[in-house]
Coordinates of all heavy atoms in Angstrom, one line a residue:
K8 N 0.8 -1.2 0.0 CA 0.0 0.0 0.0 C 0.9 1.2 0.0 O 2.1 1.2 0.4 CB -0.9 0.0 1.2 CG -2.0 -1.1 1.2 CD -3.0 -0.8 2.4 CE -4.1 -1.9 2.4 NZ -5.1 -1.6 3.4
P9 N 0.3 2.4 -0.4 CA 1.0 3.7 -0.3 C 1.4 4.0 1.2 O 0.6 3.5 2.1 CB 0.1 4.7 -0.9 CG -0.9 3.9 -1.6 CD -1.0 2.6 -1.0
S10 N 2.4 4.7 1.4 CA 2.8 5.1 2.8 C 2.1 6.4 3.2 O 2.1 6.7 4.4 CB 4.3 5.3 2.9 OG 4.7 6.2 1.9
M11 N 1.4 7.1 2.2 CA 0.7 8.3 2.5 C -0.8 8.0 2.3 O -1.2 7.5 1.2 CB 1.1 9.4 1.6 CG 2.5 10.0 1.9 SD 2.5 11.0 3.5 CE 1.5 12.4 2.9
P12 N -1.7 8.3 3.3 CA -3.1 8.3 3.0 C -3.5 9.3 1.9 O -2.8 10.3 1.7 CB -3.7 8.7 4.3 CG -2.7 8.5 5.4 CD -1.4 8.8 4.7
Y13 N -4.5 9.0 1.2 CA -5.0 9.9 0.1 C -6.4 10.2 0.3 O -7.2 9.4 0.7 CB -4.7 9.3 -1.3 CG -5.1 7.9 -1.5 CD1 -6.3 7.5 -2.0 CD2 -4.2 6.8 -1.1 CE1 -6.7 6.2 -2.2 CE2 -4.5 5.5 -1.3 CZ -5.7 5.2 -1.8 OH -6.1 3.9 -2.0
G14 N -6.8 11.5 -0.1 CA -8.1 12.0 0.2 C -8.1 13.1 1.1 O -7.0 13.6 1.6
I15 N -9.2 13.7 1.5 CA -9.3 14.8 2.4 C -9.1 14.3 3.8 O -9.8 13.4 4.3 CB -10.7 15.5 2.3 CG1 -10.9 16.1 0.8 CG2 -10.8 16.7 3.3 CD1 -12.2 16.6 0.6
M16 N -8.1 14.9 4.5 CA -7.7 14.5 5.8 C -8.5 15.1 6.9 O -8.9 16.3 6.9 CB -6.2 14.8 6.1 CG -5.3 14.1 5.1 SD -5.1 12.3 5.4 CE -4.1 12.4 6.9
G17 N -8.9 14.3 8.0 CA -9.5 14.8 9.2 C -9.0 14.1 10.4 O -7.8 13.5 10.3
Q18 N -9.7 14.0 11.4 CA -9.2 13.3 12.6 C -9.4 11.8 12.4 O -10.2 11.3 11.7 CB -10.1 13.7 13.8 CG -9.9 15.1 14.3 CD -10.7 15.4 15.5 OE1 -11.4 14.5 16.1 NE2 -10.6 16.7 16.0
N19 N -8.5 11.0 13.0 CA -8.6 9.6 13.0 C -9.5 9.1 14.1 O -10.1 9.8 14.8 CB -7.2 8.9 13.0 CG -6.5 9.2 14.4 OD1 -7.0 9.6 15.3 ND2 -5.2 8.9 14.4
A20 N -9.5 7.7 14.3 CA -10.4 7.1 15.2 C -10.2 7.6 16.7 O -11.0 7.5 17.5 CB -10.4 5.6 15.1
L21 N -8.9 8.0 16.9 CA -8.6 8.4 18.3 C -8.7 9.9 18.5 O -8.2 10.4 19.5 CB -7.2 7.9 18.6 CG -7.0 6.4 18.5 CD1 -5.5 6.0 18.8 CD2 -7.9 5.6 19.4
G22 N -9.2 10.6 17.5 CA -9.4 12.1 17.7 C -8.2 12.9 17.4 O -8.1 14.0 17.8
K23 N -7.2 12.3 16.7 CA -6.0 13.0 16.4 C -5.8 13.1 14.9 O -6.4 12.4 14.1 CB -4.8 12.2 16.9 CG -4.8 12.0 18.4 CD -3.6 11.2 18.9 CE -3.6 11.1 20.4 NZ -2.4 10.3 20.9
I24 N -5.0 14.1 14.5 CA -4.6 14.3 13.1 C -3.2 13.8 12.9 O -2.2 14.5 13.3 CB -4.8 15.7 12.6 CG1 -6.2 16.2 12.8 CG2 -4.3 15.9 11.1 CD1 -6.5 17.6 12.4
P25 N -3.0 12.6 12.4 CA -1.6 12.0 12.4 C -0.8 12.6 11.3 O -1.3 13.2 10.3 CB -1.9 10.5 12.1 CG -3.2 10.5 11.4 CD -4.0 11.7 11.9
E26 N 0.5 12.5 11.4 CA 1.5 12.9 10.4 C 2.1 11.7 9.7 O 2.3 10.7 10.3 CB 2.6 13.7 11.0 CG 2.2 15.0 11.6 CD 3.4 15.8 12.2 OE1 4.5 15.4 12.0 OE2 3.2 16.9 12.7
F27 N 2.2 11.8 8.4 CA 2.8 10.7 7.6 C 3.9 11.2 6.7 O 4.0 12.4 6.4 CB 1.7 10.1 6.7 CG 0.6 9.5 7.5 CD1 -0.6 10.2 7.8 CD2 0.7 8.1 7.8 CE1 -1.6 9.5 8.6 CE2 -0.3 7.5 8.5 CZ -1.5 8.2 8.9
Y28 N 4.8 10.3 6.3 CA 5.9 10.6 5.4 C 5.8 9.7 4.2 O 5.5 8.5 4.3 CB 7.2 10.4 6.2 CG 7.4 11.3 7.4 CD1 7.0 10.8 8.7 CD2 7.8 12.6 7.3 CE1 7.1 11.6 9.8 CE2 7.9 13.4 8.5 CZ 7.5 12.9 9.7 OH 7.6 13.7 10.8
D29 N 6.1 10.3 3.1 CA 6.0 9.6 1.8 C 7.2 8.8 1.6 O 8.3 9.3 1.2 CB 5.7 10.6 0.7 CG 5.3 9.9 -0.6 OD1 5.3 8.6 -0.6 OD2 5.0 10.6 -1.6
N30 N 7.1 7.5 1.8 CA 8.1 6.5 1.5 C 7.8 5.6 0.3 O 8.4 4.5 0.2 CB 8.4 5.7 2.8 CG 9.0 6.6 3.9 OD1 9.9 7.4 3.7 ND2 8.4 6.4 5.1
G31 N 6.8 6.0 -0.4 CA 6.4 5.2 -1.6 C 5.5 4.1 -1.2 O 5.0 4.0 -0.1
I32 N 5.4 3.1 -2.2 CA 4.7 1.9 -1.9 C 5.5 0.9 -1.1 O 6.7 0.7 -1.3 CB 4.3 1.2 -3.3 CG1 3.5 2.2 -4.2 CG2 3.5 -0.1 -3.0 CD1 2.1 2.6 -3.6
G33 N 4.8 0.3 -0.1 CA 5.5 -0.7 0.7 C 4.6 -1.7 1.3 O 3.3 -1.5 1.2
S34 N 5.1 -2.7 2.0 CA 4.3 -3.7 2.6 C 3.8 -3.2 3.9 O 4.5 -2.6 4.7 CB 5.2 -4.9 2.8 OG 4.5 -6.0 3.4
R35 N 2.5 -3.5 4.1 CA 1.8 -3.2 5.4 C 1.1 -4.4 5.9 O 0.5 -5.1 5.1 CB 0.9 -2.0 5.2 CG 1.6 -0.7 5.1 CD 0.5 0.4 4.9 NE 1.2 1.7 5.0 CZ 1.0 2.6 5.9 NH1 0.1 2.4 6.8 NH2 1.7 3.7 5.9
A36 N 1.1 -4.6 7.2 CA 0.3 -5.6 7.8 C -0.6 -5.1 8.9 O -0.3 -4.1 9.5 CB 1.2 -6.7 8.4
I37 N -1.7 -5.7 9.1 CA -2.7 -5.4 10.2 C -2.7 -6.5 11.2 O -2.7 -7.7 10.8 CB -4.1 -5.2 9.6 CG1 -4.1 -4.0 8.7 CG2 -5.1 -4.9 10.8 CD1 -5.4 -3.7 8.0
L38 N -2.6 -6.2 12.4 CA -2.7 -7.1 13.5 C -4.0 -7.0 14.2 O -4.6 -5.9 14.3 CB -1.6 -6.9 14.6 CG -0.1 -7.0 14.0 CD1 0.9 -6.8 15.2 CD2 0.2 -8.3 13.3
G39 N -4.5 -8.1 14.7 CA -5.9 -8.1 15.3 C -5.9 -7.7 16.8 O -6.5 -8.4 17.6
M40 N -5.4 -6.5 17.1 CA -5.5 -5.9 18.4 C -5.3 -4.4 18.2 O -4.7 -4.0 17.2 CB -4.6 -6.5 19.4 CG -3.1 -6.2 19.1 SD -2.0 -6.9 20.4 CE -0.4 -6.4 19.8
G41 N -5.8 -3.6 19.1 CA -5.7 -2.2 19.0 C -5.6 -1.5 20.4 O -5.4 -2.2 21.4
H42 N -5.9 -0.2 20.4 CA -5.8 0.6 21.6 C -6.8 0.1 22.7 O -6.6 0.4 23.9 CB -6.0 2.1 21.3 CG -4.8 2.6 20.6 ND1 -3.6 3.0 21.2 CD2 -4.6 2.9 19.2 CE1 -2.8 3.5 20.3 NE2 -3.3 3.4 19.1
Q43 N -7.9 -0.5 22.3 CA -8.8 -1.0 23.3 C -8.1 -2.1 24.1 O -8.5 -2.3 25.3 CB -10.1 -1.5 22.6 CG -11.2 -1.9 23.6 CD -12.5 -2.2 23.0 OE1 -12.5 -2.4 21.8 NE2 -13.5 -2.3 23.7
D44 N -7.1 -2.8 23.6 CA -6.5 -3.8 24.2 C -5.1 -3.4 24.9 O -4.8 -3.8 26.0 CB -6.2 -5.0 23.2 CG -7.4 -5.4 22.5 OD1 -8.4 -5.8 23.1 OD2 -7.4 -5.3 21.2
V45 N -4.4 -2.6 24.2 CA -3.1 -2.2 24.6 C -2.6 -1.0 23.9 O -2.9 -0.8 22.7 CB -2.1 -3.4 24.5 CG1 -1.9 -3.7 23.0 CG2 -0.8 -3.2 25.2
P46 N -1.9 0.0 24.5 CA -1.3 1.1 23.8 C -0.1 0.7 22.9 O 0.8 0.0 23.4 CB -0.9 2.1 24.9 CG -0.7 1.2 26.1 CD -1.6 0.1 26.0
C47 N -0.1 1.1 21.7 CA 1.0 0.7 20.8 C 2.3 1.2 21.3 O 3.3 0.5 21.1 CB 0.7 1.3 19.4 SG -0.8 0.7 18.6
S48 N 2.3 2.3 21.9 CA 3.6 2.9 22.3 C 4.3 2.1 23.4 O 5.5 2.3 23.7 CB 3.3 4.4 22.9 OG 2.4 4.3 23.9
G49 N 3.6 1.2 24.1 CA 4.2 0.4 25.1 C 4.6 -1.0 24.7 O 4.9 -1.8 25.6
L50 N 4.7 -1.2 23.4 CA 5.1 -2.5 22.9 C 6.5 -2.5 22.2 O 6.8 -1.5 21.5 CB 4.1 -3.0 21.9 CG 2.6 -3.2 22.5 CD1 1.7 -3.6 21.3 CD2 2.6 -4.2 23.6
S51 N 7.2 -3.5 22.4 CA 8.5 -3.7 21.7 C 8.5 -5.1 21.0 O 8.4 -6.1 21.6 CB 9.7 -3.7 22.7 OG 9.8 -2.5 23.3

């Protein structure tokens, strides 16, 4: 997928406007857990 979202930008699901950097097309994976389960910032 592209590294930059496309379309008119607004707030995301957490009420923030995230920043992105254009690194072209790249591989992306989705994992079956989110902030309701654990904060991403606390994982290594």
Side-chain angles (χ1 to χ4, degrees):
K8 293 188 178 184
S10 53
M11 289 286 292
Y13 45 94
I15 299 173
M16 300 284 288
Q18 293 183 1
N19 64 14
L21 301 177
K23 299 179 180 179
I24 299 178
E26 294 183 2
F27 295 91
Y28 300 94
D29 190 354
N30 296 313
I32 302 294
S34 182
R35 283 178 174 247
I37 296 177
L38 303 183
M40 65 180 183
H42 288 280
Q43 189 172 13
D44 308 302
V45 65
C47 299
S48 59
L50 299 178
S51 300

